[in-house]
Amino acid sequence: MVPLNAALTVFALVFAAIAWLRLLRIGFADGNLSGLLALFIPPLALLLLLPRWREETDLFLLVGASCGSLLLGQWLQ
C-alpha cells in the first residue's frame, strides 16, 4: 500500500498547490489585504470566502479533494 499512499499524497499536494494559487488570484482580485491574507494565512482566507462558496465552488472542491486524498492516503497506510 505504500505506492498508493505516495500517489495519493502527491495528488493531495498538487490539489493543494492549485487551490492555493486560485485562492491567491481571488484574494488579490478582492484587494491587497485579502491577497496578503491568502498568501500568509490561507485557512483564514478560506473562512472569509465561505459566504461566497456558490461563486467559488471549484476552489472549495479542490480543497476538499486535497484533504480527502491526504486522509485516504494516511488511512490506507
Side-chain angles (χ1 to χ4, degrees):
M1 288 292 175
V2 174
L4 183 60
N5 183 16
L8 286 172
T9 303
V10 168
F11 280 130
L13 289 173
V14 169
F15 289 150
I18 293 170
W20 185 60
L21 290 174
R22 179 128 171 85
L23 181 64
L24 284 175
R25 189 179 68 96
I26 293 168
F28 278 111
D30 285 346
N32 287 338
L33 183 61
S34 297
L36 289 174
L37 192 63
L39 182 64
F40 293 115
I41 311 171
L44 186 59
L46 277 173
L47 285 175
L48 291 176
L49 279 178
L50 273 178
R52 295 181 6 197
W53 71 271
R54 290 183 195 262
E55 299 166 7
E56 308 299 338
T57 305
D58 53 345
L59 173 67
F60 288 102
L61 286 175
L62 276 170
V63 170
S66 175
C67 291
S69 298
L70 190 61
L71 288 174
L72 185 62
Q74 292 300 313
W75 182 68
L76 291 176
Q77 185 176 5

